[in-house]
């Protein structure tokens, strides 16, 4: 384990995280995994831990005196929650919150239920001091969070809870931490940016630079290529970091699609899309290469006769900007096989562009102007250079809970309302739609 010391410089809070090993799951292990983050504050930068391109976890502090938690940083939800030390039916965590040990804890009279695709969490909506970093010097006062009394089906989430980085529409208007930090004048602007390093799915012990989340600003000079930042509108009313998806291409072939929305989600490791559109991409690749489908994922031969570099570019057009992924970015090479890091969402008519996409593009989430900026990441194009001993393709799925950490009913209605207003097909959330509910104590 390597620990990095936190420091404060020019209004920036540098936050360290641990580096540790993690076993890559095989097809038979396919379950949602947690994501580990390290982050930053102010106009700030801070290191992120990259556990085999799979988990990113960072520190949050709650209470007086501060109690430390390692949580998932997730742009697919907006609630902050951690487990209570009194919880007898919660997933295993290293840290849980002791309300008796905090002089600033304020319970409210609302009980919150969060129903996820493969599990749920429920507890008391509360107010508390919340800080970020390894040795936090600044805190947001009166931060809403849920103190979890019970959860289920989070066995594979290697974190104490979740820090949502979505809009307040996903938390019923209660300010998420980033917006609260801005309102209290702790950060200059409600902007954060994400750089995810590529360690070759564990092939490299460390990366330079390390993964980074900056809360309060961005640093394209350090984490981006020498190119202009391309901004696209984010549909804030949906609650998600959702953008217009104009076109998809695999090589020179345009994919026939019904989807019009893509969600940029740090809580998902893969690229995920509607089954029909994903199958069309598979078909285009399969007709030119020797491939087979295993457990719903396409695996192709890329050994002696075929190189990973022979596969086509995968291109997503967001608004009027084209963003390409090379085969080394959207495939995982193991021995003489290459697996697409692309999966199906079934009948849902949206795309989720997760860590596979974010590793390729340094991403700026601008709450101030409801937009997302993309600039090519400084990551070298080496994702496909992995060699593993097992014979099975490795599937990597990381979600705060499932593919999107929180798909709320409210947000579903908002996305549908937005699409209907523009005369487009509404988003169809069929199997992964969770519910949220309040109950008076």
């Amino acid at each position: 384990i390597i620990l990095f010391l936190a420091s404060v410089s020019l209004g920036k809070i540098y936050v360290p995280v641990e580096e540790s090993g993690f076993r890559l799951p095989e097809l038979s292990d396919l379950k949602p995994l947690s994501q580990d983050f390290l982050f930053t504050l102010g106009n700030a930068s801070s290191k992120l831990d990259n556990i085999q391109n799979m988990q990113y976890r960072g520190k949050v502090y709650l209470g007086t005196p501060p109690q430390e938690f390692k949580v998932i940083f997730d742009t697919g939800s907006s609630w902050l929650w951690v487990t209570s030390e009194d919880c007898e039916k919660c997933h295993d965590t290293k840290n849980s919150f002791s309300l008796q040990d905090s002089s600033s804890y304020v319970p409210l009279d609302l009980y919150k239920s969060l129903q996820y695709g493969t599990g749920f969490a429920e507890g008391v909506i509360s107010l508390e001091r919340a800080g970020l970093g390894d040795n936090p010097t600044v805190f947001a006062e009166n931060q809403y969070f849920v103190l979890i009394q019970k959860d289920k089906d989070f066995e594979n989430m290697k974190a104490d809870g979740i820090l949502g980085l979505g809009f307040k529409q996903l938390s019923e208007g209660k300010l998420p931490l980033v917006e609260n930090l801005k309102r209290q004048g702790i950060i200059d602007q409600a902007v954060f940016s994400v750089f995810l390093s590529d360690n070759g799915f564990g092939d490299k012990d460390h990366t330079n630079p390390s993964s980074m989340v900056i809360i309060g600003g961005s640093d394209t000079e350090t984490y981006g290529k020498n190119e202009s930042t391309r901004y696209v509108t984010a549909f804030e009313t949906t609650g998600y970091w959702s953008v217009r998806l104009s076109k998809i291409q695999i090589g020179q072939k345009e994919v026939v699609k019904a989807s019009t929305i893509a969600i940029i989600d740090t809580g998902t490791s893969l690229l995920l899309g509607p089954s029909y559109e994903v199958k069309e991409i598979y078909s285009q690749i399969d007709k030119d290469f020797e491939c087979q489908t295993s457990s719903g994922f396409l695996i192709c031969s890329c050994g002696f006769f075929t190189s990973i570099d022979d596969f086509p570019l995968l291109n997503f057009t967001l608004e009027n900007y084209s963003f390409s992924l090379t085969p080394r970015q959207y495939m995982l090479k193991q021995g003489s096989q290459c697996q697409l890091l692309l999966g199906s969402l079934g009948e849902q008519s949206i795309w989720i562009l997760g860590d596979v996409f974010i590793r390729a593009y340094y991403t700026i989430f601008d709450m101030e102007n409801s937009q997302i900026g993309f600039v090519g990441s400084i990551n070298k194009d080496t994702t496909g250079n992995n060699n593993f001993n097992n014979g099975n393709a490795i599937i990597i799925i990381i979600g705060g809970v499932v593919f999107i950490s929180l798909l709320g009913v409210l947000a579903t209605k908002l996305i549908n309302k937005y699409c209907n207003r523009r005369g487009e097909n509404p988003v169809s959330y069929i199997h992964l739609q969770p519910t949220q509910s309040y109950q008076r104590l």
Side-chain angles (χ1 to χ4, degrees), residues 285-354:
I285 295 176
D286 187 35
K287 73 177 185 180
D288 294 326
F289 298 91
E290 183 181 347
C291 305
Q292 62 180 351
T293 301
S294 177
S295 298
F297 289 84
L298 191 67
I299 302 170
C300 301
S301 174
C302 57
F304 183 77
F305 296 104
T306 304
S307 166
I308 188 173
D309 298 311
D310 295 333
F311 289 84
L313 294 177
L314 177 58
N315 183 276
F316 295 91
T317 300
L318 307 179
E319 288 189 357
N320 297 318
Y321 295 113
S322 177
F323 299 91
S324 294
L325 297 177
T326 69
R328 289 183 179 269
Q329 292 169 332
Y330 71 79
M331 301 183 87
L332 171 61
K333 178 176 172 59
Q334 51 170 13
S336 61
Q337 292 184 323
C338 287
Q339 177 186 303
L340 269 69
L341 299 175
L342 169 64
S344 170
L345 281 173
E347 299 178 40
Q348 298 186 79
S349 56
I350 60 170
W351 275 83
I352 301 174
L353 305 183

Side-chain angles (χ1 to χ4, degrees), residues 381-392:
D381 196 3
T382 59
T383 301
N385 293 336
N386 307 286
N387 292 281
F388 297 99
N389 293 326
N390 68 69
N392 295 324

Side-chain angles (χ1 to χ4, degrees), residues 79 112 168-174 410 436-438:
W79 281 104
K112 180 70 176 175
K168 61 185 178 182
Q169 285 80 358
L170 295 184
S171 52
E172 285 80 27
K174 293 175 173 55
L410 173 62
Q436 303 182 60
S437 64
Y438 283 130

Side-chain angles (χ1 to χ4, degrees), residues 182-284:
K182 167 61 187 306
R183 173 170 287 190
Q184 296 182 22
I186 297 171
I187 58 177
D188 295 331
Q189 50 186 343
V191 175
F192 63 95
S193 55
V194 177
F195 167 72
L196 296 183
S197 65
D198 181 1
N199 70 2
F201 295 93
D203 191 51
K204 295 175 285 185
D205 291 335
H206 307 291
T207 60
N208 185 22
S210 298
S211 300
M212 190 77 63
V213 172
I214 302 176
I215 295 180
S218 61
D219 185 358
T220 57
E221 290 186 5
T222 300
Y223 301 106
K225 294 178 180 177
N226 185 22
E227 62 185 42
S228 299
T229 303
R230 293 171 283 179
Y231 284 94
V232 298
T233 300
F235 304 138
E236 177 182 356
T237 55
T238 69
Y240 300 104
W241 290 100
S242 54
V243 298
R244 178 174 299 285
L245 177 60
S246 303
K247 185 168 65 173
I248 304 171
Q249 284 182 279
I250 180 68
Q252 300 300 314
K253 172 68 175 180
E254 182 173 347
V255 175
V256 177
K257 69 178 187 66
S259 56
T260 59
I261 297 291
I263 295 174
I264 312 301
D265 184 21
T266 60
T268 300
S269 66
L270 297 179
L271 304 170
L272 299 169
S275 60
Y276 176 81
E277 297 169 26
V278 170
K279 287 178 181 178
E280 186 174 348
I281 294 173
Y282 284 4
S283 177
Q284 289 300 316

